[in-house]
C-alpha cells in the first residue's frame, strides 16, 4: 500500500469513528421509552417511573450552542461536549455555533440597552448557583436525595424518572464507576513531638518552644505541652501540612512486624522527617536521635482544622504559631478560618449541585422544559438528574435542583469560573425565553446589586431557626451554644444585607465600566418609557452608584498623589489641609444622600482615605518645622493607637530573646563543665576518647548557640528601642535575625499599609532623623 492509499485508509477510519461516536452520543441524549427499562435490573426497574407527557430532549433543544461565538470551553482547550460547553457531540462545532435557539436571546447579543429594556418590562434576572460539590458515593447520594426531598421526582439525563430515595441511591451507584479514586489532600495532622531527656522546667519549656517554632517554621500550628509520668515534657500539636510555597509535610503508613502480629503506624516520609529533625537540632542542639516527631490522624480542609483543634483543646488550652491562645470552640473556628488560605487544600469533586432559580408565579412546566434543555445543552457529556421544588414559592421563588456528574464521558471535568457562570446564565435565559419565560441574563455589576448570601449562610440560619426533624436535638444544641452565636448572627446579617440589596459601590475599574455602561442604557430606556417606575428607580440607583464611586475614586487618587509626592516637589501641609477640607465636605454631602449599608460602606472607605491624608499632613507639618526628632506624643498622634501595640510587642520580643540568650548561656556553661569533668576522668581507651570528642562537640555547639542567641537578643533590644522612639519606622534588615522580629516588622508594614501612607511616613521620619 503506497503512502496515498495509507492516508486515505486512515481518513476513512477516522470518519467512521467520528460517525459512530456522534451517533452514540446523540442516542444517549434522547430519552428512552418506558420499554427500555426491561434491560435494567428488576429491583431498579420497580422503582423507576416513565417520564409523563414530556417531549423528547432533542425536540426541546433548538440549537447546540448559545453564545454564537467561539466557546470559552474551547478557549480552555476542552472539547465542545465537555462540562460547560456545547452539548452536541454529533454536530460539528462550527455548524452548531451558527444555530441559535429559536425564540430566545437571553441577553446575549442585545447589549446593555436590550437587557435594560427587558428588565424594565418585567423580566427577572437569571440566577444560577453552585450549592456544593460532593466526593464519594455516600456524599453524592445524600446530595441527590436532598434534591429528591418531599418526594419530588428527579429526571435523569436519559429521560428516566427517579421517584424515591432508593432509586436515587442506585443511580448514584451506577455513576460511581467513573468517580475519582484520588483521595482528598492531607491538609492538617495531629503530631506528637518528644525531645527525650527534656524535663518539665522553665528551661525545658523554652527548649520545646524553640523546637516547635524551628521544626514547623512556615507552617500554621498550635501546640499544648504535657508532662509525662516520668517528669519529661511532651508536645501535642496540630500542624498544617502545607508550609512555604514549595514545602508540604507528607504522612505515610508504615507496617511494623509481620502480618499476623504486627501493626500499622503513621510517620512522616523521610524528607519531611529529616527537615523537622534538622531544624530542631539546629535551633536547640538536641541530638536528632533524641527527637521523635510522630504524626497521627490527618484531616482535610477547614473542617478538618476545626476538628483537630477541638480535639487538641479537650485536655487544655493551646497556643498557636502567632502566640494566640486557643481554648474553646469559638477559638478553634476562628483559627480554622485564619488557617484556610495557607492549607492549599485540594478537594475531589465527583458531583456538582446546581440550582436554577425563578420567581414565584413562573410556569412550572415551562421552567422544567427550560431546565431540561439547558442541562442537555451545557452538560450533554455528563450524567445528571434534576427536579423542581415549589416549596419556597410562598417565600417568593421556585427553583430547580440538579446533580451533575463532574466527570464527563469524554474524561473532562467541570471547573467553572466567573466566565463559565456568565455563559451559563446566558444559556439558561435563552432556553427559558424559548419556553416563553421572562428571564434575562444580567450581572450584579450592571444593576449595582450587592452580592447574594451563600448556601452556608442559609444552612446556618435554617439550622438555628428551623431544626431538622431528623436532627432536631443537635440543631437546637447548636443554636443554643454561646460559641455559635456570633457565627449565626453574622450569617443573619449577610442574608439581611443581601435581601435589602443596598447599592454596590463600584470600586474597581471593571465595576465602574459596567455601571457607566448601564447608566447609558437605562437613561435611554427611561427616555423611551418616561412613565416606567422601574426604569426611573434603576436609573437613579445607577446614577448614585456612579457618582459615589467617582467620588471615592477621585479621593483615592488624590490621596495617593499627595502621600507619594516626590520630596523635590513637596506640597505644603497647608495645601494638603485645604484638600482635606474639600474632601471632608464632599464626603459629608454625599453621605447625607445615602442610607443603610450603602452609607456605611461609603463612610468606611472614605474614612480610610481621609485618615491617611490626615496622617500625612501631620508628618508634613513636623517636617516643615525642621523637627530633628519627633517626640513620643507626636509619633503616637501620627501613627495612631497602633503605636502602643507595636511598642508592647517589640518589648515582648526583646524579653523573649533575652530569656533565650540566658538559657543558651546556661546550657553552654553546663556543657563546658561536663567537658571538663570528662577530661578529668577520661582514660586513654578509644571509648573514652570518643566520649570526650562528643562532649567537645556539644560544647562547641552550645557556645555557638549561646553566641547566636546573644546576637539575637541584642538585635531585639535595638529593635525595641527603635520602635519605642519611632513606631512608624520599619526595622532595618540588619536587625531581622529571628522569626519573631520578622513577624514584628510584618505587623508594622501591615499597619502602615492599612494607613496607605507607608512610603510617605517612612521617608518623612527618616528625613527628620537625618537633620
Amino acid at each position: 500500500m503506497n503512502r496515498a492509499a495509507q492516508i486515505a485508509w486512515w481518513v476513512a477510519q477516522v470518519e467512521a469513528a467520528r460517525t459512530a461516536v456522534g451517533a452514540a452520543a446523540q442516542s444517549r441524549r434522547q430519552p428512552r421509552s418506558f420499554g427500555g427499562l426491561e434491560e435494567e435490573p428488576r429491583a431498579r426497574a420497580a422503582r423507576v417511573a416513565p417520564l409523563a407527557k414530556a417531549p423528547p430532549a432533542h425536540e426541546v433543544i433548538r440549537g447546540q450552542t448559545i453564545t454564537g461565538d467561539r466557546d470559552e470551553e474551547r478557549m480552555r482547550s476542552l472539547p465542545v461536549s465537555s462540562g460547560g460547553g456545547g452539548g452536541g457531540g454529533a454536530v460539528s462545532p462550527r455548524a452548531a455555533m451558527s444555530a441559535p435557539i429559536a425564540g430566545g436571546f437571553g441577553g446575549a447579543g442585545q447589549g446593555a440597552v436590550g437587557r435594560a429594556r427587558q428588565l424594565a418590562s418585567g423580566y427577572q434576572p437569571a440566577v444560577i448557583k453552585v450549592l456544593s460539590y460532593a466526593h464519594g458515593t455516600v456524599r453524592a447520594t445524600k446530595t441527590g436525595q436532598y434534591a429528591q426531598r418531599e418526594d419530588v421526582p428527579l429526571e435523569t439525563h436519559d429521560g428516566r424518572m427517579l421517584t424515591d430515595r432508593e432509586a436515587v441511591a442506585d443511580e448514584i451507584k451506577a455513576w460511581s464507576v467513573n468517580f475519582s479514586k484520588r483521595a482528598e489532600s492531607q491538609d492538617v495532622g495531629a503530631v506528637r513531638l518528644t525531645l527525650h531527656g527534656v524535663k518539665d522546667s522553665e528551661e525545658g519549656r523554652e527548649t520545646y518552644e524553640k523546637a516547635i517554632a524551628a521544626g514547623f517554621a512556615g507552617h500554621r500550628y498550635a501546640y499544648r505541652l504535657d508532662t509525662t509520668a516520668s517528669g519529661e515534657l511532651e508536645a501535642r500539636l496540630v500542624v498544617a501540612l502545607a508550609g512555604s510555597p514549595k514545602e508540604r509535610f507528607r504522612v505515610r503508613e508504615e507496617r511494623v512486624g509481620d502480618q499476623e502480629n504486627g501493626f500499622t503506624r503513621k510517620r512522616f516520609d523521610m524528607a519531611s522527617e529529616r527537615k523537622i529533625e534538622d531544624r530542631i537540632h539546629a535551633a536547640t542542639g538536641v541530638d536528632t536521635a533524641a527527637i521523635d516527631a510522630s504524626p497521627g490522624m490527618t484531616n482535610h480542609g477547614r473542617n478538618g482544622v476545626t476538628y483537630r483543634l477541638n480535639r487538641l483543646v479537650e485536655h487544655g488550652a493551646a497556643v498557636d504559631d502567632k502566640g494566640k491562645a486557643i481554648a474553646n470552640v469559638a477559638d478553634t473556628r476562628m483559627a480554622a478560618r485564619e488557617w484556610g488560605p495557607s492549607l492549599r487544600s485540594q478537594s475531589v469533586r465527583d458531583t456538582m449541585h446546581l440550582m436554577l432559580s425563578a420567581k414565584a408565579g413562573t410556569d412550572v412546566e415551562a421552567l422544567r422544559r427550560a431546565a431540561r434543555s439547558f442541562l442537555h445543552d451545557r452538560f450533554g457529556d455528563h450524567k445528571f438528574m434534576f427536579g423542581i421544588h415549589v416549596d419556597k414559592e410562598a417565600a417568593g421563588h421556585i427553583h430547580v435542583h440538579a446533580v451533575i456528574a463532574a466527570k464527563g464521558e469524554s474524561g473532562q471535568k467541570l471547573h467553572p469560573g466567573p466566565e463559565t457562570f456568565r455563559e451559563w446564565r446566558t444559556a439558561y435565559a435563552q432556553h427559558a425565553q424559548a419556553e416563553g419565560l421572562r428571564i434575562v441574563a444580567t450581572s450584579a455589576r450592571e444593576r449595582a446589586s450587592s452580592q447574594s448570601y451563600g448556601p452556608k449562610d442559609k444552612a446556618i440560619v435554617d439550622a438555628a431557626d428551623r431544626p431538622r426533624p431528623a436532627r432536631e436535638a443537635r440543631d437546637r444544641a447548636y443554636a443554643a451554644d454561646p460559641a455559635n452565636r456570633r457565627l449565626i448572627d453574622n450569617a443573619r446579617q449577610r442574608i439581611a444585607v443581601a435581601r435589602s440589596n443596598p447599592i454596590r459601590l463600584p470600586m474597581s475599574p471593571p465595576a465602574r465600566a459596567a455601571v457607566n455602561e448601564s447608566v447609558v442604557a437605562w437613561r435611554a430606556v427611561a427616555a423611551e418609557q418616561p412613565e416606567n417606575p422601574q426604569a426611573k428607580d434603576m436609573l437613579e440607583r445607577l446614577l448614585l452608584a456612579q457618582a459615589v464611586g467617582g467620588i471615592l475614586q477621585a479621593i483615592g487618587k488624590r490621596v495617593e498623589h499627595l502621600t507619594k509626592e516626590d520630596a523635590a516637589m513637596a506640597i505644603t501641609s497647608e495645601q494638603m489641609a485645604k484638600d482635606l477640607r474639600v474632601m471632608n465636605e464632599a464626603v459629608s454631602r454625599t453621605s447625607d444622600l445615602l442610607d443603610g449599608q450603602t452609607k456605611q460602606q461609603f463612610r468606611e472607605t472614605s474614612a480610610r482615605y481621609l485618615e491617611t491624608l490626615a496622617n500625612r499632613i501631620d508628618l508634613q507639618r513636623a517636617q516643615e518645622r525642621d523637627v530633628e526628632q519627633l517626640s513620643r506624643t507626636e509619633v503616637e498622634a501620627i501613627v495612631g493607637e497602633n503605636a502602643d501595640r507595636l511598642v508592647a510587642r517589640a518589648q515582648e520580643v526583646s524579653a523573649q530573646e533575652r530569656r533565650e540568650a540566658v538559657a543558651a548561656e546556661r546550657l553552654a556553661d553546663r556543657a563546658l563543665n561536663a567537658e571538663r569533668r570528662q577530661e578529668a576522668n577520661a582514660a586513654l581507651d578509644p571509648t573514652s576518647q570518643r566520649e570526650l570528642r562528643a562532649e567537645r562537640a556539644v560544647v562547641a555547639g552550645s557556645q555557638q548557640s549561646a553566641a547566636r542567641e546573644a546576637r539575637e537578643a541584642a538585635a531585639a533590644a535595638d529593635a525595641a528601642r527603635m520602635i519605642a522612639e519611632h513606631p512608624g519606622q520599619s526595622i532595618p534588615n540588619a536587625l531581622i535575625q529571628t522569626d519573631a522580629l520578622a513577624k514584628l516588622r510584618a505587623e508594622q508594614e501591615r499597619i502602615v499599609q492599612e494607613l496607605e501612607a507607608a512610603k510617605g511616613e517612612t521617608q518623612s521620619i527618616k528625613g527628620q532623623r537625618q537633620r
Side-chain angles (χ1 to χ4, degrees):
M1 183 182 294
N2 59 27
R3 183 172 180 79
Q6 288 178 337
I7 294 175
W9 184 82
W10 276 111
V11 168
Q13 296 300 312
V14 170
E15 289 299 326
R18 179 181 299 171
T19 301
V21 170
Q26 186 68 14
S27 64
R28 187 181 72 77
R29 292 185 178 87
Q30 297 181 6
R32 295 180 298 189
S33 65
F34 184 47
L37 290 175
E38 295 176 356
E39 301 174 1
E40 301 288 334
R42 289 182 178 273
R44 187 176 179 182
R47 293 189 293 271
V48 179
L51 178 62
K53 299 181 181 180
H58 70 279
E59 294 180 8
V60 177
I61 300 176
R62 312 285 171 74
Q64 300 300 327
T65 65
I66 302 299
T67 61
D69 203 345
R70 184 169 176 79
D71 218 339
E72 287 297 323
E73 291 293 350
R74 290 181 60 81
M75 298 283 282
R76 291 195 292 271
S77 302
L78 299 183
V80 176
S81 60
S82 65
V91 183
S92 68
R94 292 185 181 276
M97 288 182 182
S98 62
I101 295 176
F105 293 95
Q110 300 183 85
V113 176
R115 294 191 292 272
R117 288 194 183 106
Q118 288 180 315
L119 289 172
S121 65
Y123 277 64
Q124 55 182 292
V127 178
I128 295 182
K129 295 180 182 180
V130 172
L131 299 183
S132 64
Y133 295 94
H135 170 49
T137 305
V138 174
R139 296 298 305 171
T141 299
K142 287 184 180 296
T143 303
Q145 291 173 343
Y146 173 81
Q148 195 268 333
R149 71 189 189 279
E150 300 178 353
D151 298 325
V152 171
L154 300 185
E155 180 181 335
T156 66
H157 55 278
D158 51 3
R160 292 174 291 108
M161 299 297 289
L162 310 178
T163 59
D164 56 30
R165 294 169 62 87
E166 289 75 16
V168 171
D170 287 345
E171 182 70 14
I172 295 295
K173 185 177 180 180
W175 293 9
S176 65
V177 296
N178 290 323
F179 283 1
S180 175
K181 303 302 186 289
R182 180 173 64 87
E184 293 180 317
S185 59
Q186 296 177 339
D187 297 328
V188 61
V191 179
R192 182 176 64 186
L193 176 65
T194 304
L195 307 179
H196 296 287
V198 177
K199 298 293 184 179
D200 185 5
S201 63
E202 182 179 355
E203 180 183 338
R205 289 181 176 270
E206 290 178 355
T207 300
Y208 262 91
E209 290 173 1
K210 291 174 61 176
I212 293 169
F216 303 100
H219 296 251
R220 299 305 307 267
Y221 61 81
Y223 69 92
R224 187 189 75 236
L225 294 180
D226 296 336
T227 305
T228 65
S230 63
E232 292 187 355
L233 284 171
E234 181 181 74
R236 298 282 183 165
L237 299 98
V238 173
V239 180
L241 300 181
S244 57
K246 294 186 178 180
E247 179 174 279
R248 180 183 282 271
F249 293 149
R250 302 191 182 279
V251 177
R252 301 286 184 260
E253 288 191 349
E254 178 183 71
R255 185 70 185 176
V256 179
D258 56 30
Q259 192 66 29
E260 294 182 359
N261 302 317
F263 61 92
T264 300
R265 70 173 184 180
K266 292 182 179 293
R267 64 173 298 172
F268 289 114
D269 65 5
M270 293 182 63
S272 302
E273 190 175 76
R274 187 165 53 248
K275 284 179 182 178
I276 295 171
E277 291 178 351
D278 289 348
R279 291 170 180 173
I280 292 176
H281 171 70
T284 65
V286 177
D287 189 80
T288 55
I291 301 171
D292 182 13
S294 302
M297 296 299 296
T298 59
N299 296 87
H300 171 76
R302 295 187 185 184
N303 290 337
V305 175
T306 303
Y307 175 76
R308 279 287 135 217
L309 290 175
N310 283 332
R311 294 293 302 271
L312 179 67
V313 301
E314 281 179 358
H315 302 287
V319 178
D320 72 0
D321 55 304
K322 306 293 186 183
K324 293 191 298 185
I326 301 177
N328 52 48
V329 175
D331 292 342
T332 61
R333 189 176 291 112
M334 183 67 68
R337 284 198 291 269
E338 293 176 357
W339 290 24
S342 64
L343 295 178
R344 300 207 299 274
S345 182
Q346 298 176 0
S347 298
V348 179
R349 298 174 175 179
D350 290 321
T351 60
M352 179 178 70
H353 185 189
L354 193 72
M355 185 181 74
L356 314 177
S357 291
K359 290 183 179 180
T362 302
D363 186 322
V364 174
E365 289 307 313
L367 180 61
R368 189 189 312 277
R369 293 192 298 271
R372 180 187 301 122
S373 56
F374 164 74
L375 291 170
H376 277 288
D377 180 20
R378 294 287 95 178
F379 308 102
D381 192 42
H382 298 254
K383 296 177 180 178
F384 58 80
M385 59 179 75
F386 74 97
I388 296 185
H389 288 256
V390 296
D391 55 306
K392 302 294 184 182
E393 188 163 15
H397 60 92
I398 61 178
H399 47 272
V400 177
H401 284 275
V403 181
I404 305 166
K407 186 177 181 180
E409 292 189 357
S410 63
Q412 297 293 341
K413 289 190 174 183
L414 295 169
H415 293 288
E419 183 61 33
T420 312
F421 278 99
R422 282 191 284 271
E423 295 174 4
W424 288 355
R425 284 195 299 269
T426 301
Y428 169 42
Q430 286 191 319
H431 285 288
Q433 289 184 25
E435 298 297 339
L437 300 179
R438 295 162 66 84
I439 296 176
V440 61
T442 67
S443 68
R445 285 177 174 176
E446 287 182 336
R447 306 188 307 278
S449 293
S450 299
Q451 292 291 341
S452 177
Y453 57 89
K456 287 186 178 180
D457 294 326
K458 183 177 182 299
I460 289 170
V461 174
D462 284 349
D465 294 345
R466 294 179 292 277
R468 293 160 287 185
R471 299 182 52 175
E472 186 171 357
R474 293 177 62 182
D475 285 351
R476 291 191 185 281
Y478 168 83
D481 188 346
N484 297 327
R485 179 50 48 197
R486 181 178 178 184
L487 183 70
I488 296 171
D489 290 343
N490 288 342
R492 290 189 200 279
Q493 176 69 11
R494 285 190 290 270
I495 292 175
V497 169
R499 287 176 175 171
S500 65
N501 192 22
I503 296 174
R504 182 183 182 184
L505 301 181
M507 302 297 296
S508 65
R512 287 193 293 270
V515 168
N516 292 340
E517 183 181 18
S518 290
V519 166
V520 174
W522 281 98
R523 184 175 279 131
V525 173
E528 296 170 357
Q529 308 173 35
E531 302 301 323
N532 189 316
Q534 185 169 355
K536 178 182 177 181
D537 292 344
M538 184 60 74
L539 180 58
E540 290 179 356
R541 177 188 182 92
L542 290 166
L543 285 172
L544 192 57
Q546 184 185 53
V548 176
I551 290 171
L552 288 176
Q553 181 189 18
I555 291 175
K557 285 187 174 181
R558 183 58 179 168
V559 169
E560 181 181 7
H561 173 71
L562 293 173
T563 55
K564 294 185 177 181
E565 191 68 38
D566 186 77
M569 301 175 62
I571 301 176
T572 66
S573 61
E574 186 60 32
Q575 291 172 316
M576 290 183 186
K578 289 181 180 178
D579 275 24
L580 181 60
R581 285 193 293 272
V582 171
M583 292 179 191
N584 265 317
E585 292 174 1
V587 167
S588 179
R589 288 196 304 270
T590 306
S591 182
D592 291 339
L593 302 175
L594 307 175
D595 55 18
Q597 291 292 324
T598 304
K599 187 172 188 175
Q600 180 179 347
Q601 180 186 359
F602 175 73
R603 281 180 170 176
E604 291 175 353
T605 305
S606 59
R608 289 198 298 269
Y609 291 137
L610 298 180
E611 183 181 359
T612 299
L613 182 55
N615 292 337
R616 180 65 180 85
I617 291 171
D618 289 339
L619 288 169
Q620 184 71 14
R621 283 174 177 165
Q623 193 172 18
E624 289 170 357
R625 296 198 308 268
D626 292 329
V627 176
E628 295 185 2
Q629 189 167 358
L630 294 175
S631 67
R632 172 63 184 271
T633 303
E634 290 173 318
V635 170
E636 289 181 357
I638 293 172
V639 180
E641 62 183 11
N642 297 304
D644 283 332
R645 191 170 82 245
L646 284 174
V647 172
R649 179 63 182 143
Q651 291 171 348
E652 289 176 8
V653 171
S654 179
Q656 177 69 19
E657 294 297 337
R658 284 199 304 271
R659 288 195 298 271
E660 292 181 359
V662 172
E665 188 64 29
R666 286 201 303 266
L667 285 174
D669 290 342
R670 285 204 300 272
L672 183 59
N673 292 334
E675 179 196 18
R676 289 170 179 169
R677 288 194 301 271
Q678 188 70 25
E679 287 177 345
N681 299 326
L684 296 178
D685 59 278
T687 301
S688 297
Q689 293 298 320
R690 282 197 300 273
E691 292 175 353
L692 180 57
R693 286 195 296 271
E695 288 292 345
R696 287 173 177 169
V698 171
V699 169
S702 299
Q703 290 175 336
Q704 291 175 359
S705 178
R708 183 177 66 251
E709 293 292 349
R711 291 194 300 271
E712 292 175 356
D718 290 342
R721 184 170 55 254
M722 181 177 295
I723 288 180
E725 295 174 354
H726 300 286
Q729 181 176 349
S730 293
I731 303 173
N733 289 331
L735 296 181
I736 304 300
Q737 298 188 18
T738 66
D739 290 340
L741 288 172
K743 291 178 181 178
L744 180 60
R745 187 169 70 172
E747 186 174 358
Q748 278 186 300
E749 293 172 350
R750 180 181 60 79
I751 291 172
V752 174
Q753 185 177 10
E754 287 176 356
L755 296 175
E756 298 184 11
K759 184 176 179 181
E761 290 178 2
T762 304
Q763 289 177 346
S764 297
I765 295 176
K766 285 183 177 178
Q768 293 157 12
R769 294 188 66 202
Q770 291 170 359
R771 293 189 179 191

